Amino acid sequence: MDSTAGTAELALLLEVAGTPTPGNVDRERDLPALSFEQFLAGATGARPGFRRAAEGGPFGEAFEEAIRGMAACAGTNTQFGAILLLTPLVRAAGTGALTPDRARKQVETAGVEGAVGFYRAFDHVAVNVPPPPADVPDVRQGSDAIATLRDRELSLSAVLTPAADRGGIATELLTGFDRTFEMAADLGATDAPLSRAVPAVQLRALETAPDPLIVTAHDAETAQWVQQRAATLAPPPGAADIDLPAVRSFARTLVDRGINPGTTADLVAGGLFVALEREEVTLQ
Amino acid sequence: MDSTAGTAELALLLEVAGTPTPGNVDRERDLPALSFEQFLAGATGARPGFRRAAEGGPFGEAFEEAIRGMAACAGTNTQFGAILLLTPLVRAAGTGALTPDRARKQVETAGVEGAVGFYRAFDHVAVNVPPPPADVPDVRQGSDAIATLRDRELSLSAVLTPAADRGGIATELLTGFDRTFEMAADLGATDAPLSRAVPAVQLRALETAPDPLIVTAHDAETAQWVQQRAATLAPPPGAADIDLPAVRSFARTLVDRGINPGTTADLVAGGLFVALEREEVTLQ
């Protein structure tokens, strides 16, 4: 169990160690009020919650524990989305086979208490989320929404459903982790050290779809512009050779404009976990 | 307990994240067959052993568990000395106050089973050690030495004593962690982000004394030469401004000549743990 939790933590560390990952914190680039060191600390803080998930503990409690630990150690929100993506993957891996079906089942069976833990997690950090849909409580209410969740018997799946079509973490959790497992396969097929494979996979992921966090924080046009720029920089599948000056210049542009493709980073962390668990990548 | 173990792991991560740390792996520089990613993995692997120590588990078992986990995750020896230094500090912090006296007591009371765990740890990795003294078994025997340790009732303190005058980790463990706590104070007094404070503290430490691992792997003259070069590059106490091109050039020279001041890196990791536990440093 501890090794599964350790692998989840290592996935967070390897994601932030990969460089350059344009627009995201990496080992060569901090963002304003968000440092590489805080990401290291956030990863160590999430681990007890991951262990809880790996042991088959209640989904909602494990997730909230991971977020609480992350926030306590990092002092801010560093990896909320990645931890939400990793929790069902870790719970699946810790209690049986790590398959998309079993990961999805962890979400389906999380129930109302899964939703309660999910909302409680928002007590610990500020998270950039889209305006709330009419049919579920605003996540920014945090634990103030718990009575409503229980009264209306809203499950984790139910509260994530309004975001299912956004292509973000909710989509992964509800529809079977397609992009996460694709990224794991991409990482496994890329013949390069992980520090170079991670940026290559991130660029290919940015090319594949607009980043939902960019849509939320800016707009669809900005996300599409990033997607188009990434398409000119992403190496073909299996390759990791990138035009380093051009990618670094792209990274500077994104930071200057405050554009952060954070959901893509979350997906890469999820892909790293799957690839590490299946021993499809090595560290040498 | 988990938070003390997490802090120990974070100390390992922050040490390797500080750059440039001449001659050691850091976020900008791998060594041959030793990558930054392996150090991240080694730190995650050590954590269950740290938790055991923080809970007051037997010293020898906790240390061996940390080394076994490090080796399993990193695939090589990344942080043997740092983990040996951290184990008594973590055990002290987890079970009461983190003072030099209480840390030394963890070593004094580790007894014969402490020595057994120490030797067992050498089963898991190859460690660069000086030729063995005549009066204790060669550590490279690993668990083959256990019968002798028990027959002769050799305690952890007894087997470390022949190395007590070398100025390395054994000196710290037996004489009260002077340099570790000095480094914690230096880190706390340095007004700069940790990624810059770590190299400044490392240079001052290299200036203070010859690195024992360099003496072992090369000779006393080489260690003195490193000490003299560090003296020209180390900023005064409290400062973190370094001549970056000169320090990077020094770093390249050390890597080219295969010179690795690994014990100094271990001491910095120990200092980081103490400073983090006492909240004398922040991550922002």
Side-chain angles (χ1 to χ4, degrees), chain A residues 64-153:
Chain A
E64 191 215 341
E65 186 173 350
I67 295 297
R68 190 173 60 233
M70 171 206 79
C73 289
T76 187
N77 175 23
T78 43
Q79 291 123 328
F80 190 97
I83 292 170
L84 181 57
L85 179 60
L86 284 166
T87 300
L89 295 167
V90 168
R91 201 166 185 275
T95 58
L98 175 54
T99 62
D101 259 8
R102 288 197 74 248
R104 205 186 56 227
K105 285 230 167 59
Q106 312 304 316
V107 180
E108 283 172 9
T109 59
V112 175
E113 291 310 304
V116 167
F118 177 64
Y119 276 72
R120 271 197 217 278
F122 287 87
D123 288 349
H124 306 296
V125 277
V127 181
N128 198 343
V129 289
D135 41 357
V136 300
D138 187 344
V139 288
R140 287 166 291 198
Q141 288 185 268
S143 50
D144 291 342
I146 292 175
T148 309
L149 296 171
R150 289 195 174 135
D151 284 352
R152 294 178 49 199
E153 294 184 2

Coordinates of all heavy atoms in Angstrom, one line a residue, chain A residues 64-153:
Chain A
E64 N -9.9 14.0 0.7 CA -9.8 15.2 1.5 C -8.4 15.2 2.3 O -7.8 16.3 2.4 CB -10.9 15.3 2.5 CG -11.0 16.7 3.1 CD -11.4 16.7 4.6 OE1 -12.1 15.7 5.0 OE2 -11.1 17.7 5.3
E65 N -8.0 14.1 2.8 CA -6.8 14.0 3.5 C -5.6 14.4 2.7 O -4.7 15.1 3.1 CB -6.6 12.6 4.1 CG -5.4 12.4 5.0 CD -5.3 11.1 5.7 OE1 -6.2 10.3 5.7 OE2 -4.2 10.9 6.3
A66 N -5.6 13.9 1.4 CA -4.5 14.2 0.5 C -4.5 15.8 0.2 O -3.4 16.4 0.2 CB -4.7 13.5 -0.8
I67 N -5.6 16.4 0.0 CA -5.7 17.8 -0.2 C -5.3 18.6 1.0 O -4.5 19.6 0.9 CB -7.1 18.2 -0.7 CG1 -7.4 17.6 -2.1 CG2 -7.2 19.8 -0.8 CD1 -6.4 18.0 -3.2
R68 N -5.7 18.2 2.2 CA -5.4 18.8 3.4 C -3.9 18.8 3.6 O -3.3 19.8 4.0 CB -6.1 18.2 4.6 CG -6.1 19.0 5.9 CD -6.9 18.4 7.0 NE -6.5 17.0 7.3 CZ -7.3 15.9 7.2 NH1 -8.6 16.1 7.0 NH2 -6.9 14.7 7.5
G69 N -3.3 17.6 3.4 CA -1.8 17.5 3.6 C -1.1 18.3 2.6 O -0.1 19.0 2.9
M70 N -1.5 18.3 1.3 CA -0.9 19.1 0.3 C -0.9 20.6 0.7 O 0.1 21.3 0.6 CB -1.7 19.0 -1.1 CG -1.2 19.9 -2.2 SD -2.5 20.2 -3.4 CE -3.6 21.4 -2.5
A71 N -2.1 21.1 1.1 CA -2.2 22.5 1.5 C -1.4 22.9 2.7 O -0.7 23.9 2.7 CB -3.7 22.8 1.7
A72 N -1.3 21.9 3.7 CA -0.5 22.2 4.9 C 1.0 22.3 4.5 O 1.7 23.1 5.1 CB -0.8 21.1 5.9
C73 N 1.4 21.4 3.7 CA 2.9 21.4 3.4 C 3.3 22.5 2.3 O 4.3 23.1 2.5 CB 3.3 20.0 2.8 SG 3.2 18.8 4.1
A74 N 2.5 22.7 1.3 CA 2.8 23.7 0.3 C 2.4 25.1 0.6 O 2.9 26.0 0.1 CB 2.2 23.2 -1.1
G75 N 1.4 25.2 1.5 CA 0.9 26.5 1.9 C 0.0 27.1 0.8 O -0.4 28.3 0.9
T76 N -0.3 26.4 -0.2 CA -1.2 26.9 -1.3 C -1.7 25.7 -2.1 O -1.4 24.5 -1.8 CB -0.4 27.9 -2.2 OG1 -1.3 28.4 -3.1 CG2 0.7 27.2 -2.9
N77 N -2.5 25.9 -3.1 CA -2.9 24.9 -4.0 C -1.9 24.6 -5.1 O -1.7 25.4 -6.0 CB -4.3 25.2 -4.7 CG -4.7 24.2 -5.7 OD1 -4.3 23.0 -5.6 ND2 -5.5 24.6 -6.6
T78 N -1.3 23.4 -5.0 CA -0.3 23.1 -6.0 C -0.8 22.0 -7.0 O -0.6 22.1 -8.2 CB 1.0 22.6 -5.3 OG1 0.7 21.7 -4.3 CG2 1.8 23.7 -4.8
Q79 N -1.5 21.0 -6.4 CA -1.8 19.8 -7.3 C -3.2 19.3 -7.0 O -3.5 18.1 -7.1 CB -0.8 18.7 -6.9 CG 0.6 19.0 -7.4 CD 1.6 18.9 -6.2 OE1 1.3 19.2 -5.1 NE2 2.9 18.5 -6.5
F80 N -4.2 20.2 -6.9 CA -5.6 19.7 -6.6 C -6.1 18.8 -7.7 O -6.6 17.7 -7.4 CB -6.5 21.0 -6.5 CG -7.9 20.7 -5.9 CD1 -8.2 20.8 -4.6 CD2 -8.9 20.2 -6.8 CE1 -9.4 20.6 -4.1 CE2 -10.2 19.9 -6.3 CZ -10.4 20.1 -4.9
G81 N -6.0 19.2 -8.9 CA -6.6 18.4 -10.0 C -5.9 17.1 -10.2 O -6.5 16.0 -10.4
A82 N -4.5 17.1 -10.0 CA -3.8 15.9 -10.1 C -4.1 14.9 -9.0 O -4.3 13.7 -9.3 CB -2.3 16.2 -10.1
I83 N -4.4 15.4 -7.8 CA -4.7 14.5 -6.7 C -6.1 13.9 -6.9 O -6.4 12.8 -6.6 CB -4.6 15.3 -5.4 CG1 -3.1 15.5 -5.1 CG2 -5.2 14.5 -4.2 CD1 -2.8 16.5 -4.0
L84 N -7.0 14.7 -7.5 CA -8.4 14.2 -7.8 C -8.3 13.1 -8.8 O -9.0 12.1 -8.7 CB -9.3 15.4 -8.3 CG -10.7 15.0 -8.6 CD1 -11.4 14.4 -7.4 CD2 -11.5 16.3 -9.1
L85 N -7.4 13.3 -9.8 CA -7.3 12.2 -10.8 C -6.6 11.0 -10.2 O -7.0 9.9 -10.6 CB -6.4 12.8 -12.0 CG -6.1 11.9 -13.1 CD1 -7.4 11.4 -13.8 CD2 -5.2 12.6 -14.1
L86 N -5.6 11.2 -9.4 CA -4.8 10.1 -8.8 C -5.6 9.2 -7.8 O -5.4 8.0 -7.7 CB -3.5 10.6 -8.2 CG -2.4 11.0 -9.2 CD1 -1.4 11.8 -8.5 CD2 -1.8 9.8 -9.9
T87 N -6.5 9.9 -7.1 CA -7.2 9.1 -6.0 C -7.8 7.9 -6.4 O -7.6 6.8 -5.9 CB -8.1 10.1 -5.2 OG1 -7.3 11.2 -4.7 CG2 -8.8 9.3 -4.0
P88 N -8.7 7.9 -7.5 CA -9.3 6.6 -7.9 C -8.3 5.7 -8.5 O -8.4 4.4 -8.4 CB -10.3 7.1 -9.0 CG -9.9 8.4 -9.4 CD -9.2 9.1 -8.2
L89 N -7.3 6.2 -9.2 CA -6.2 5.3 -9.8 C -5.5 4.6 -8.7 O -5.2 3.4 -8.8 CB -5.3 6.1 -10.6 CG -5.9 6.8 -11.9 CD1 -4.9 7.8 -12.5 CD2 -6.2 5.7 -13.0
V90 N -5.1 5.3 -7.6 CA -4.4 4.8 -6.5 C -5.3 3.7 -5.8 O -4.8 2.6 -5.4 CB -4.0 5.9 -5.5 CG1 -3.5 5.3 -4.2 CG2 -2.9 6.8 -6.1
R91 N -6.5 4.1 -5.6 CA -7.4 3.1 -4.9 C -7.6 1.9 -5.7 O -7.6 0.8 -5.2 CB -8.8 3.8 -4.7 CG -9.6 3.2 -3.5 CD -10.8 4.1 -3.1 NE -11.5 3.6 -2.0 CZ -12.5 2.7 -2.0 NH1 -12.9 2.3 -3.2 NH2 -13.1 2.3 -1.0
A92 N -7.7 2.0 -7.0 CA -7.8 0.8 -7.9 C -6.5 0.0 -7.8 O -6.5 -1.3 -7.6 CB -8.0 1.2 -9.3
A93 N -5.3 0.6 -7.9 CA -4.1 -0.1 -7.9 C -3.8 -0.7 -6.5 O -3.3 -1.8 -6.5 CB -2.9 0.9 -8.2
G94 N -4.2 -0.1 -5.5 CA -4.0 -0.6 -4.1 C -4.8 -1.8 -3.8 O -4.5 -2.6 -2.9
T95 N -6.0 -1.9 -4.4 CA -6.9 -2.9 -4.0 C -7.2 -4.0 -5.1 O -8.0 -4.9 -4.9 CB -8.3 -2.3 -3.7 OG1 -8.8 -1.6 -4.9 CG2 -8.2 -1.3 -2.6
G96 N -6.4 -3.9 -6.2 CA -6.5 -4.9 -7.2 C -5.8 -4.5 -8.5 O -4.8 -3.8 -8.4
A97 N -6.4 -4.8 -9.6 CA -5.7 -4.4 -10.9 C -6.0 -3.0 -11.2 O -7.0 -2.4 -11.0 CB -6.2 -5.3 -12.0
L98 N -5.0 -2.3 -11.8 CA -5.1 -0.9 -12.3 C -5.6 -0.9 -13.7 O -4.8 -1.0 -14.7 CB -3.8 -0.2 -12.1 CG -3.7 1.2 -12.7 CD1 -4.8 2.1 -12.0 CD2 -2.3 1.9 -12.4
T99 N -6.9 -0.9 -13.9 CA -7.5 -0.9 -15.2 C -8.4 0.3 -15.2 O -8.9 0.8 -14.2 CB -8.4 -2.1 -15.5 OG1 -9.4 -2.2 -14.5 CG2 -7.5 -3.4 -15.4
P100 N -8.7 0.8 -16.4 CA -9.7 2.0 -16.5 C -11.0 1.6 -15.9 O -11.6 2.5 -15.2 CB -9.8 2.2 -18.1 CG -8.5 1.6 -18.6 CD -8.1 0.5 -17.7
D101 N -11.5 0.4 -16.1 CA -12.8 0.0 -15.6 C -12.8 0.1 -14.0 O -13.7 0.6 -13.4 CB -13.1 -1.4 -16.0 CG -14.1 -1.4 -17.1 OD1 -14.4 -0.3 -17.7 OD2 -14.6 -2.5 -17.5
R102 N -11.7 -0.5 -13.4 CA -11.7 -0.5 -12.0 C -11.5 0.9 -11.4 O -12.0 1.2 -10.4 CB -10.6 -1.5 -11.5 CG -10.9 -2.9 -11.6 CD -10.1 -3.8 -10.8 NE -10.4 -3.8 -9.4 CZ -9.7 -3.2 -8.4 NH1 -8.5 -2.7 -8.7 NH2 -10.1 -3.2 -7.2
A103 N -10.8 1.7 -12.1 CA -10.6 3.1 -11.7 C -11.9 3.8 -11.7 O -12.3 4.6 -10.8 CB -9.5 3.8 -12.5
R104 N -12.7 3.6 -12.8 CA -14.0 4.3 -12.9 C -14.9 3.8 -11.8 O -15.7 4.6 -11.2 CB -14.6 4.0 -14.3 CG -15.6 5.1 -14.7 CD -16.3 4.7 -16.0 NE -16.9 3.4 -15.9 CZ -16.8 2.4 -16.8 NH1 -16.1 2.6 -17.9 NH2 -17.4 1.2 -16.6
K105 N -14.8 2.5 -11.4 CA -15.7 2.0 -10.4 C -15.4 2.7 -9.0 O -16.4 2.8 -8.2 CB -15.4 0.5 -10.2 CG -16.1 -0.4 -11.3 CD -16.9 -1.5 -10.7 CE -17.8 -2.1 -11.8 NZ -17.0 -2.6 -13.0
Q106 N -14.2 3.1 -8.8 CA -13.9 3.8 -7.5 C -14.7 5.0 -7.4 O -15.1 5.4 -6.3 CB -12.4 4.1 -7.4 CG -11.4 3.0 -7.7 CD -11.7 1.7 -6.9 OE1 -11.9 1.8 -5.7 NE2 -11.6 0.6 -7.6
V107 N -14.9 5.7 -8.5 CA -15.7 7.0 -8.6 C -17.1 6.6 -8.4 O -17.9 7.3 -7.6 CB -15.4 7.7 -9.9 CG1 -16.2 9.0 -9.9 CG2 -13.9 8.0 -10.0
E108 N -17.6 5.6 -9.2 CA -19.0 5.3 -9.2 C -19.5 4.9 -7.8 O -20.7 5.1 -7.4 CB -19.3 4.1 -10.2 CG -19.3 4.5 -11.6 CD -19.4 3.3 -12.6 OE1 -19.6 2.2 -12.1 OE2 -19.2 3.6 -13.8
T109 N -18.6 4.2 -7.0 CA -19.0 3.7 -5.7 C -18.7 4.6 -4.6 O -18.9 4.3 -3.4 CB -18.4 2.3 -5.4 OG1 -16.9 2.5 -5.5 CG2 -18.8 1.3 -6.5
A110 N -18.2 5.8 -4.9 CA -17.8 6.8 -3.8 C -19.0 7.3 -3.1 O -18.9 7.7 -2.0 CB -16.9 7.9 -4.4
G111 N -20.1 7.4 -3.8 CA -21.4 7.7 -3.2 C -21.5 9.1 -2.7 O -20.7 10.0 -3.0
V112 N -22.4 9.4 -1.8 CA -22.6 10.7 -1.2 C -21.4 11.1 -0.3 O -21.0 12.3 -0.4 CB -23.9 10.7 -0.3 CG1 -24.1 12.0 0.4 CG2 -25.2 10.4 -1.2
E113 N -20.9 10.2 0.4 CA -19.7 10.5 1.2 C -18.5 10.9 0.3 O -17.6 11.7 0.8 CB -19.4 9.4 2.2 CG -20.4 9.2 3.3 CD -20.8 10.5 4.0 OE1 -19.8 11.2 4.5 OE2 -22.0 10.9 4.0
G114 N -18.5 10.4 -0.9 CA -17.4 10.8 -1.8 C -17.6 12.3 -2.2 O -16.6 13.0 -2.2
A115 N -18.9 12.6 -2.4 CA -19.2 14.0 -2.7 C -18.8 14.9 -1.5 O -18.3 16.0 -1.6 CB -20.6 14.2 -3.1
V116 N -19.2 14.4 -0.3 CA -18.9 15.2 1.0 C -17.4 15.5 1.1 O -16.9 16.6 1.3 CB -19.4 14.4 2.2 CG1 -18.8 15.0 3.5 CG2 -20.9 14.4 2.2
G117 N -16.5 14.5 0.9 CA -15.1 14.6 0.9 C -14.6 15.6 -0.1 O -13.7 16.4 0.1
F118 N -15.2 15.5 -1.3 CA -14.8 16.4 -2.4 C -15.1 17.8 -2.1 O -14.2 18.7 -2.2 CB -15.6 15.9 -3.7 CG -15.4 16.8 -4.9 CD1 -14.1 16.9 -5.5 CD2 -16.4 17.5 -5.4 CE1 -13.9 17.7 -6.6 CE2 -16.2 18.3 -6.6 CZ -15.0 18.4 -7.2
Y119 N -16.2 18.1 -1.5 CA -16.6 19.5 -1.1 C -15.7 19.9 0.1 O -15.2 21.1 0.1 CB -18.1 19.6 -0.8 CG -18.9 19.9 -2.0 CD1 -19.1 18.8 -2.9 CD2 -19.5 21.1 -2.3 CE1 -19.9 19.0 -4.1 CE2 -20.2 21.3 -3.5 CZ -20.4 20.3 -4.4 OH -21.2 20.5 -5.5
R120 N -15.5 19.1 1.0 CA -14.7 19.4 2.2 C -13.3 19.8 1.7 O -12.7 20.7 2.3 CB -14.5 18.2 3.1 CG -15.5 18.0 4.2 CD -15.0 17.1 5.2 NE -16.0 16.2 5.8 CZ -16.9 16.5 6.7 NH1 -16.9 17.7 7.2 NH2 -17.8 15.7 7.1
A121 N -12.8 19.2 0.7 CA -11.4 19.5 0.2 C -11.3 21.0 -0.2 O -10.2 21.6 0.0 CB -11.0 18.6 -1.0
F122 N -12.4 21.6 -0.6 CA -12.3 23.0 -1.0 C -12.2 23.9 0.2 O -12.0 25.1 0.1 CB -13.6 23.4 -1.9 CG -13.5 22.8 -3.2 CD1 -14.0 21.5 -3.5 CD2 -13.0 23.5 -4.3 CE1 -13.9 21.0 -4.8 CE2 -12.9 23.0 -5.6 CZ -13.4 21.7 -5.8
D123 N -12.4 23.4 1.4 CA -12.2 24.2 2.6 C -10.7 24.6 2.8 O -10.3 25.6 3.4 CB -12.6 23.4 3.9 CG -14.1 23.3 4.1 OD1 -14.8 24.0 3.3 OD2 -14.5 22.5 4.9
H124 N -9.8 23.7 2.2 CA -8.4 23.8 2.5 C -7.6 24.7 1.5 O -6.5 25.2 1.8 CB -7.7 22.5 2.5 CG -8.4 21.5 3.4 ND1 -8.4 21.7 4.8 CD2 -9.1 20.4 3.2 CE1 -9.1 20.7 5.4 NE2 -9.5 19.9 4.5
V125 N -8.2 24.9 0.3 CA -7.4 25.7 -0.7 C -8.4 26.4 -1.6 O -9.6 26.1 -1.7 CB -6.6 24.8 -1.6 CG1 -5.2 24.5 -0.9 CG2 -7.3 23.6 -2.0
A126 N -7.9 27.5 -2.2 CA -8.6 28.2 -3.3 C -8.3 27.5 -4.6 O -7.2 27.3 -4.9 CB -8.2 29.6 -3.3
V127 N -9.4 27.1 -5.3 CA -9.2 26.4 -6.6 C -9.9 27.2 -7.6 O -11.0 27.7 -7.4 CB -9.8 25.0 -6.5 CG1 -9.6 24.2 -7.8 CG2 -9.2 24.2 -5.4
N128 N -9.3 27.3 -8.8 CA -9.9 28.0 -9.9 C -10.9 27.1 -10.6 O -10.5 26.2 -11.3 CB -8.8 28.5 -10.9 CG -9.3 29.6 -11.8 OD1 -10.5 29.9 -11.9 ND2 -8.3 30.3 -12.4
V129 N -12.2 27.4 -10.4 CA -13.2 26.6 -11.0 C -14.2 27.5 -11.8 O -14.3 28.7 -11.6 CB -14.0 25.8 -9.9 CG1 -13.2 24.7 -9.3 CG2 -14.6 26.8 -8.9
P130 N -14.9 26.8 -12.8 CA -15.8 27.6 -13.6 C -17.0 28.0 -12.8 O -17.2 27.4 -11.7 CB -16.2 26.6 -14.7 CG -15.3 25.4 -14.6 CD -14.8 25.4 -13.2
P131 N -17.9 28.9 -13.3 CA -19.1 29.2 -12.5 C -19.9 28.0 -12.3 O -19.9 27.1 -13.1 CB -19.9 30.2 -13.5 CG -18.8 30.7 -14.4 CD -17.8 29.6 -14.5
P132 N -20.6 27.9 -11.1 CA -21.3 26.6 -10.8 C -22.5 26.4 -11.6 O -23.2 27.4 -12.0 CB -21.7 26.8 -9.3 CG -21.7 28.3 -9.1 CD -20.7 28.9 -10.1
P133 N -22.8 25.2 -12.0 CA -24.1 24.9 -12.7 C -25.2 25.0 -11.7 O -25.0 25.0 -10.5 CB -23.9 23.4 -13.1 CG -22.9 22.8 -12.1 CD -22.0 24.0 -11.7
A134 N -26.4 25.1 -12.2 CA -27.6 25.3 -11.3 C -28.0 24.1 -10.5 O -28.5 24.3 -9.4 CB -28.8 25.7 -12.2
D135 N -27.6 22.9 -11.0 CA -28.2 21.7 -10.3 C -27.4 21.1 -9.2 O -27.8 20.1 -8.6 CB -28.5 20.7 -11.4 CG -27.4 20.6 -12.5 OD1 -26.5 21.4 -12.4 OD2 -27.5 19.7 -13.4
V136 N -26.2 21.6 -9.0 CA -25.4 21.1 -7.8 C -24.9 22.3 -7.0 O -24.7 23.4 -7.6 CB -24.2 20.2 -8.2 CG1 -24.7 19.0 -9.0 CG2 -23.2 21.0 -9.0
P137 N -24.6 22.1 -5.7 CA -24.1 23.3 -4.9 C -22.7 23.7 -5.5 O -21.9 22.9 -6.0 CB -23.9 22.7 -3.5 CG -24.7 21.4 -3.5 CD -24.8 20.9 -4.9
D138 N -22.4 25.0 -5.3 CA -21.2 25.6 -5.7 C -20.0 25.0 -4.8 O -20.1 25.0 -3.6 CB -21.2 27.1 -5.4 CG -20.0 27.8 -5.9 OD1 -19.0 27.2 -6.2 OD2 -20.1 29.1 -6.0
V139 N -19.0 24.4 -5.5 CA -17.9 23.7 -4.7 C -17.2 24.7 -3.8 O -16.7 24.3 -2.8 CB -16.9 23.1 -5.6 CG1 -17.4 21.8 -6.3 CG2 -16.3 24.1 -6.7
R140 N -17.3 26.0 -4.1 CA -16.6 27.0 -3.3 C -17.2 27.2 -1.9 O -16.7 27.8 -1.0 CB -16.5 28.3 -4.0 CG -15.4 28.3 -5.1 CD -15.5 29.4 -6.1 NE -16.7 29.4 -6.9 CZ -16.9 30.1 -8.0 NH1 -16.0 30.9 -8.5 NH2 -18.1 30.0 -8.7
Q141 N -18.5 26.6 -1.8 CA -19.1 26.6 -0.4 C -18.3 25.6 0.5 O -18.5 25.7 1.7 CB -20.5 26.1 -0.5 CG -21.5 27.0 -1.2 CD -22.9 26.4 -1.1 OE1 -23.3 25.7 -2.0 NE2 -23.6 26.7 0.0
G142 N -17.6 24.7 0.0 CA -16.9 23.7 0.8 C -17.8 23.0 1.7 O -18.9 22.5 1.2
S143 N -17.4 22.8 3.0 CA -18.2 22.0 3.8 C -19.6 22.6 4.2 O -20.5 21.9 4.7 CB -17.5 21.6 5.1 OG -17.0 22.8 5.7
D144 N -19.8 23.9 3.8 CA -21.1 24.4 4.0 C -22.2 23.8 3.1 O -23.4 23.9 3.4 CB -21.1 25.9 3.7 CG -20.3 26.7 4.8 OD1 -20.1 26.1 5.9 OD2 -19.9 27.9 4.5
A145 N -21.7 23.1 2.1 CA -22.7 22.4 1.2 C -23.1 21.0 1.6 O -23.9 20.4 1.0 CB -22.1 22.4 -0.2
I146 N -22.4 20.5 2.7 CA -22.6 19.1 3.1 C -24.1 18.8 3.4 O -24.6 17.7 2.9 CB -21.7 18.7 4.3 CG1 -20.2 18.8 3.8 CG2 -22.0 17.4 4.8 CD1 -19.2 18.5 4.9
A147 N -24.8 19.6 4.1 CA -26.2 19.3 4.4 C -27.0 19.1 3.2 O -27.8 18.2 3.0 CB -26.7 20.5 5.3
T148 N -26.8 20.0 2.2 CA -27.5 19.9 0.9 C -27.1 18.6 0.2 O -28.0 17.9 -0.3 CB -27.1 21.1 0.0 OG1 -27.3 22.3 0.7 CG2 -27.9 21.1 -1.3
L149 N -25.8 18.3 0.2 CA -25.4 17.0 -0.5 C -26.1 15.8 0.1 O -26.6 15.0 -0.6 CB -23.9 16.8 -0.3 CG -23.0 17.9 -1.0 CD1 -21.5 17.7 -0.6 CD2 -23.1 17.8 -2.6
R150 N -26.2 15.8 1.5 CA -26.8 14.7 2.1 C -28.3 14.7 2.0 O -28.9 13.6 1.7 CB -26.4 14.6 3.6 CG -25.0 14.3 3.8 CD -24.6 13.9 5.2 NE -23.2 13.4 5.3 CZ -22.3 13.8 6.2 NH1 -22.7 14.6 7.1 NH2 -21.1 13.3 6.2
D151 N -28.9 15.9 2.1 CA -30.4 16.0 1.9 C -30.8 15.5 0.5 O -31.8 14.7 0.4 CB -30.9 17.4 2.1 CG -30.9 17.9 3.5 OD1 -30.7 17.0 4.4 OD2 -31.1 19.1 3.7
R152 N -30.1 15.9 -0.5 CA -30.4 15.5 -1.8 C -29.8 14.2 -2.3 O -29.9 13.9 -3.5 CB -30.1 16.7 -2.8 CG -30.9 18.0 -2.5 CD -30.5 19.1 -3.4 NE -30.5 18.8 -4.8 CZ -29.8 19.5 -5.7 NH1 -29.2 20.6 -5.4 NH2 -29.8 19.1 -7.0
E153 N -29.0 13.6 -1.4 CA -28.3 12.3 -1.8 C -27.5 12.5 -3.0 O -27.6 11.6 -3.9 CB -29.3 11.2 -1.8 CG -29.9 10.9 -0.4 CD -30.9 9.7 -0.4 OE1 -31.0 9.0 -1.5 OE2 -31.5 9.4 0.6

